[in-house]
Amino acid sequence: MRKSLRPLAATVLIFIVAYGLAIANFPMMASTRVLGNFLTDNAYLGIAAVGMTFVIISGGIDLSVGAVIGFTGVLLAALITWFGIHPLVAFVVALGLAALFGAAMGLAIHYLEVPPFIVTLAGMFLARGAAAVITQDSVPINHEFYSFIAQLYFKLPGGGRLTFLGLLMVAIFIIGAIVAHRTRFGSYVYALGGNTTSASLMGVPVARTTVSIYVLSSVLAALAGIVFSFYTGAGQPLAAVGVELDAISAVVIGGTLLTGGYGFVLGTFVGVMLLGLVQTYIIFDGTLSSWWTKIVIGALLFLFIVLQRLVFAASAPGGKSSEKA
Amino acid sequence: MTTVSGAEPFRLEARGVSIRFGNHLALDKVDFGLRAGEVHALLGENGAGKSTLIKILTGAYQPTGGDVLMDGIPMRLANPQDAQVHGIGTVYQEVNLLPNRPVAENLFLGHQPTRFGLVDRRRMDRDARDLLKRYGLEIDPGSELGSHSVAVQQIVAIARAVALSGKVLILDEPTASLDRNEVLRLFEVIAGLKARGLAIVFITHFLDQVFAIADRVTILRNGRLVETRGLDTLTRTDVVRMMLGKDIAFSGATSVETERPATDLLISFKGYGRKRAVQPFDLDIHKGEVIGVAGLLGSGRTEMARTMFGIDPADEGTAEMNGKPVAINDARTAIGLGFGYCPEDRKADGIFGDLSVRENIVIALQGKLGWFSALTRDEQLEIAGKFGEAMDIRAASLDMPIKLLSGGNQQKVILSRWLATDPAFLILDEPTRGIDVGAHAEIVRTINRLREDGLALVVISSELDEVVAYSNRIVVMRDRKLVAELRGDNISPGVIVQAIATHDAAPDAITEGTAP
């Protein structure tokens, strides 16, 4: 097996074992109802995590994701509820703004050579602040289109619901996987994460690729914001605080190397599902405080970082003798 | 455009190219002509302008004067991609590919075959397999590049460069990190490409390799063309002499100090070596003695110094100091024993650019004392002031950042740093590189003074006249091996050149060969 596949295999294995244990304790967890909710409840996180996967494979990080989700929700609520604009038009506005926002971050990262951590941290404050400037309150969204989409689902045998939102996330994951593994753009993203100097010597359009990656991440974050607004039926400036960290966790647990160059979009899907499983289990148990979710995620994350270190350290090229001591 | 009548036209030609960086003329009207179907070696010491010329030919730099022509037609190369489009491919010493990606993708990145807008992996793998077969490589195109040896990666890099460019291949020290068999394998590949009519530029520090593979050689020195000639008309000695300076006297008078009685043995290295860095050598170092180390770049001079200082500790052999065995496994131990090391790359390994002159001077002493006996600011000032005066360091203030000082003054600060630790043994790696002529003389005077004070010094230098001027003995390195030791009347730049260039047998002039 290829070395870079090992963390992914470990994630899949852990997911299967964990799910098996969960079913052994609570047989209800095997029901399609729970499975359907898995997808729906984590749809916004999954969509944002697809963008984050590209960012991290390229060797970057995007801390603005949660704030963009929050801003998008508030923007949609304002446009739809206050100004009576049709949701579809509002979506176009939100996605367009997010694209500009991502492009600005990408340009700053490439041309000003500021680390992505700093640029997207600034982006996080900007987006969160902008959301609070629009309103400080929760603004409900009441529109026929919203109730229509929110209620759109296929019935699964066993009473589960495969919602439009859940399917949208699955579709984004499939498209994301194809883009990452089957297009030139995808190979450029991996190239940047491997070695930027080599990439540019090999003719990779570094500037265009960097900007595209952050546009992609911000647009997917806005899409996650749209999904989140369907899910909650409101826009709230403090919504989705810290979601970027959940997304990063899902990406890393899914086998993507935090330092870039290696990773799988579908691994992130398993990562998101594993996070969802932990959450669902704790709800089923009922006696555990929901903060246990964080502890389990923390432990998992730590486990995977150690695992990647072990897998990749063994193969790291040995230091040259003339290297600086 | 005029072409030289009768002569075969050049595939790639640089005509009178010059380039200026600030006040420094890095290349001065250099001509370089490359024919199809030849391997053309480009030689020169550090700073000769080799890499500058290569960067012009590959579009990384734009010349301030002169033309670059392909098949007689002038071209403008704005960037490396331009050069690639014009048919010029480059392979660097450090493989500039992506170790995290499959071999096939490394071959075709940016040019992957696509079907319906998606990369056609099957076709890409098939093409990669076909392409690599021509280079005698049968590896899985889907395997990660990083899982293969450097030699294989190097061949993949060549395959990519040739596939994308196809006319000119520039190999910039491709053999520097390869072992002997890998070099032979690479040479087979180069010979094959030559037969296919490619024009190949080969840059290396290994003379043996030049004579093994190249047809012609161009030698640069100090940004000027020394000569372009067929290798069949040249000997090794000719080449070394042209690289180091034409006017080297072969029987020149020596100015080496009369030999001291070798009684005060300070340090003795026996069979000391490190795999892939420097082959085992024997070296006795006495108090009040300067040992010069000569050799071309890449001959293992710096590696020898780093091994002695424990930065890259030896993995075989023994060291004795004052008759007692010592294990020098890191630089801290070496400093504790009274060693000091001024590295070759002053900017990267020597100075702390943003720290003040004072801090740069006391840092090694502080390191030796440990963190619990911190030097007060007054003590620091006193020490720095003392050495500032003794070494004649010219700085507006001892509190100004060292990066603002000239190279010569920086070198004196680093010397002061070690002298402050009261050392017994100093290793100086190219102490006069990048320093103006006046400061040169001062550094040489300082070396002589330290010797008189009873210090033992090992000085690595490419400036043969200087090495001769201050050394009691000179050891010569070649191919990571200590190949000769010269002493007394036998020392002259000419003899050193001969020792560097000699292939196998030691010439008569060398009184004491220590080659294993």
Side-chain angles (χ1 to χ4, degrees):
Chain A
M1 178 165 49
R2 249 164 64 193
K3 204 172 55 232
S4 55
L5 278 169
R6 279 180 217 158
L8 178 61
T11 310
V12 172
L13 196 71
I14 289 178
F15 180 78
I16 291 169
V17 170
Y19 197 43
L21 285 176
I23 291 171
N25 276 340
F26 305 106
M28 269 297 287
M29 286 199 55
S31 72
T32 55
R33 203 173 291 226
V34 171
L35 278 174
N37 285 350
F38 255 21
L39 297 180
T40 311
D41 294 349
N42 295 300
Y44 74 99
L45 175 62
I47 291 170
V50 171
M52 188 68 81
T53 309
F54 280 89
V55 172
I56 293 181
I57 289 175
S58 80
I61 196 93
D62 187 352
L63 298 180
S64 69
V65 167
V68 170
I69 294 176
F71 174 78
T72 303
V74 173
L75 180 71
L76 293 177
L79 290 176
I80 297 166
T81 305
W82 294 350
F83 298 101
I85 291 170
H86 191 273
L88 286 174
V89 179
F91 294 166
V92 173
V93 173
L95 293 172
L97 271 180
L100 290 177
F101 181 74
M105 292 197 298
L107 289 169
I109 289 165
H110 179 77
Y111 287 105
L112 304 181
E113 292 174 30
V114 184
F117 186 94
I118 303 295
V119 172
T120 60
L121 185 69
M124 175 182 100
F125 283 116
L126 281 173
R128 192 63 78 184
V133 165
I134 295 176
T135 176
Q136 307 223 15
D137 308 313
S138 176
V139 180
I141 302 174
N142 294 310
H143 196 282
E144 292 165 14
F145 181 74
Y146 258 69
S147 23
F148 170 70
I149 292 291
Q151 294 303 314
L152 197 59
Y153 60 83
F154 295 103
K155 243 194 155 58
L156 291 171
R161 291 171 175 187
L162 194 53
T163 61
F164 173 76
L165 301 181
L167 281 175
L168 180 65
M169 170 182 73
V170 172
I172 295 288
F173 265 106
I174 292 170
I175 295 170
I178 291 171
V179 170
H181 303 298
R182 284 281 184 272
T183 64
R184 282 190 189 164
F185 171 73
S187 63
Y188 293 160
V189 174
Y190 282 94
L192 285 193
N195 183 334
T196 316
T197 317
S198 292
S200 87
L201 282 172
M202 291 171 82
V204 171
V206 176
R208 207 173 71 209
T209 308
T210 306
V211 172
S212 305
I213 289 167
Y214 287 90
V215 167
L216 180 70
S217 177
S218 290
V219 166
L220 285 178
L223 186 61
I226 293 170
V227 168
F228 197 67
S229 72
F230 277 114
Y231 188 66
T232 59
Q236 214 259 86
L238 285 178
V241 168
V243 163
E244 62 277 359
L245 303 180
D246 291 336
I248 293 169
S249 313
V251 171
V252 172
I253 291 174
T256 295
L257 197 62
L258 204 43
T259 47
Y262 295 91
F264 307 92
V265 172
L266 292 181
T268 302
F269 181 76
V270 184
V272 169
M273 289 299 104
L274 191 55
L275 295 189
L277 177 69
V278 173
Q279 223 149 16
T280 312
Y281 181 90
I282 281 160
I283 292 167
F284 263 72
D285 185 275
T287 61
L288 292 170
S289 148
S290 67
W291 289 103
W292 277 97
T293 320
K294 302 277 176 201
I295 293 178
V296 176
I297 293 173
L300 277 177
L301 205 53
F302 186 70
L303 177 78
F304 276 90
I305 289 170
V306 170
L307 185 75
Q308 293 186 343
R309 200 67 218 148
L310 293 179
V311 170
F312 285 96
S315 68
K320 276 192 341 187
S321 64
S322 60
E323 226 164 41
K324 211 171 122 187
Chain B
M1 279 287 108
T2 55
T3 41
V4 185
S5 57
E8 194 185 340
F10 291 121
R11 167 124 283 179
L12 178 67
E13 187 181 0
R15 237 180 243 171
V17 291
S18 304
I19 190 165
R20 183 180 284 282
F21 300 113
N23 274 330
H24 177 57
L25 194 59
L27 275 188
D28 188 3
K29 297 199 189 73
V30 169
D31 294 315
F32 178 75
L34 181 67
R35 295 194 184 116
E38 78 165 343
V39 177
H40 194 137
L42 185 58
L43 293 179
E45 283 287 274
N46 245 4
K50 269 178 318 185
S51 39
T52 313
L53 179 59
I54 291 308
K55 284 192 169 138
I56 289 175
L57 295 179
T58 55
Y61 291 162
Q62 282 69 49
T64 40
D67 288 309
V68 178
L69 303 90
M70 175 69 83
D71 296 321
I73 301 158
M75 341 175 255
R76 287 198 65 81
L77 302 175
N79 55 49
Q81 275 78 50
D82 264 8
Q84 210 173 70
V85 171
H86 278 94
I88 303 169
T90 313
V91 173
Y92 303 91
Q93 169 187 353
E94 285 171 32
V95 182
N96 273 301
L97 294 179
L98 301 162
N100 59 324
R101 301 306 291 158
V103 170
E105 195 171 300
N106 271 290
L107 284 171
F108 298 117
L109 186 74
H111 308 265
Q112 296 108 316
T114 53
R115 232 171 119 216
F116 313 121
L118 299 182
V119 172
D120 186 348
R121 281 248 192 109
R122 200 172 304 164
R123 205 178 121 204
M124 185 164 89
D125 282 358
R126 204 177 52 224
D127 291 354
R129 214 181 285 274
D130 291 347
L131 184 61
L132 292 176
K133 210 172 272 171
R134 283 197 268 160
Y135 292 87
L137 273 189
E138 303 232 359
I139 54 177
D140 174 13
S143 58
E144 260 172 39
L145 183 76
S147 65
H148 298 284
S149 72
V150 181
V152 168
Q153 296 187 32
Q154 202 71 265
I155 292 173
V156 171
I158 291 175
R160 176 184 168 91
V162 172
L164 294 185
S165 314
K167 286 186 185 170
V168 173
L169 177 63
I170 297 174
L171 300 167
D172 191 355
E173 293 195 48
T175 57
S177 37
L178 304 185
D179 68 29
R180 191 169 281 275
N181 287 326
E182 291 172 333
V183 169
L184 290 178
R185 187 164 186 195
L186 190 70
F187 279 7
E188 278 172 34
V189 168
I190 295 176
L193 290 172
K194 179 180 144 180
R196 274 166 53 189
L198 238 78
I200 300 166
V201 182
F202 182 58
I203 298 162
T204 184
H205 291 302
F206 300 109
L207 281 189
D208 292 352
Q209 295 181 2
V210 171
F211 280 88
I213 189 97
D215 303 303
R216 292 196 304 154
V217 61
T218 289
I219 295 166
L220 299 179
R221 193 173 68 244
N222 295 329
R224 289 205 183 82
L225 175 71
V226 177
E227 193 152 7
T228 298
R229 252 165 79 178
L231 271 167
D232 43 2
T233 65
L234 286 169
T235 66
R236 252 165 248 275
T237 314
D238 295 335
V239 173
V240 173
R241 206 182 323 172
M242 287 195 278
M243 284 169 71
L244 296 181
K246 262 182 188 160
D247 37 5
I248 285 174
F250 256 73
S251 53
T254 84
S255 48
V256 175
E257 300 275 310
T258 47
E259 267 186 89
R260 281 160 186 260
T263 48
D264 293 343
L265 184 63
L266 181 67
I267 308 160
S268 168
F269 295 102
K270 289 230 160 31
Y272 218 59
R274 179 182 166 86
K275 265 188 213 78
R276 281 185 166 267
V278 59
Q279 296 193 23
F281 62 88
D282 294 331
L283 190 62
D284 288 339
I285 301 162
H286 304 88
K287 285 176 192 161
E289 179 179 48
V290 175
I291 299 176
V293 180
L296 295 178
L297 216 74
S299 59
R301 302 174 310 181
T302 298
E303 287 79 359
M304 180 188 189
R306 293 174 65 94
T307 306
M308 290 195 288
F309 195 60
I311 303 172
D312 301 319
D315 49 22
E316 53 188 312
T318 57
E320 279 183 14
M321 187 161 181
N322 293 323
K324 280 182 229 110
V326 285
I328 308 164
N329 289 323
D330 53 38
R332 265 188 85 77
T333 313
I335 294 169
L337 291 170
F339 288 18
Y341 174 50
C342 301
E344 179 178 20
D345 188 349
R346 199 165 49 232
K347 279 211 178 64
D349 301 338
I351 64 169
F352 297 90
D354 292 314
L355 294 187
S356 69
V357 173
R358 166 176 57 84
E359 287 162 320
N360 268 286
I361 290 180
V362 300
I363 198 155
L365 178 59
Q366 185 66 72
K368 195 176 176 183
L369 292 175
W371 296 114
F372 293 108
S373 43
L375 293 164
T376 65
R377 206 188 134 83
D378 286 344
E379 282 170 324
Q380 292 186 11
L381 271 178
E382 193 196 318
I383 294 164
K386 188 176 105 194
F387 285 100
E389 209 165 305
M391 300 289 290
D392 193 21
I393 295 170
R394 270 163 238 151
S397 145
L398 290 175
D399 278 314
M400 71 191 275
I402 190 172
K403 64 180 176 191
L404 301 178
L405 266 55
S406 71
N409 280 308
Q410 287 180 2
Q411 192 63 273
K412 286 190 261 179
V413 171
I414 297 176
L415 265 171
S416 307
R417 173 192 298 168
W418 292 113
L419 296 178
T421 65
D422 192 18
F425 172 45
L426 271 185
I427 304 166
L428 311 182
D429 196 350
E430 293 284 3
T432 54
R433 167 165 308 155
I435 289 179
D436 62 65
V437 181
H440 256 239
E442 267 183 80
I443 298 279
V444 172
R445 265 203 302 283
T446 309
I447 290 172
N448 278 321
R449 206 179 65 225
L450 295 175
R451 183 233 319 271
E452 274 152 33
D453 291 347
L455 243 74
L457 291 108
V458 165
V459 184
I460 299 168
S461 180
S462 310
E463 309 275 346
L464 296 187
D465 298 334
E466 269 176 39
V467 181
V468 168
Y470 51 63
S471 303
N472 297 76
R473 279 187 289 153
I474 292 176
V475 295
V476 177
M477 302 291 295
R478 191 192 335 121
D479 288 343
R480 307 191 180 282
K481 204 192 283 182
L482 196 162
V483 292
E485 185 172 324
L486 316 174
R487 48 173 89 217
D489 295 337
N490 289 312
I491 302 182
S492 73
V495 175
I496 298 174
V497 165
Q498 205 142 50
I500 292 172
T502 306
H503 192 33
D504 282 315
D508 305 338
I510 295 169
T511 53
E512 205 182 309
T514 55

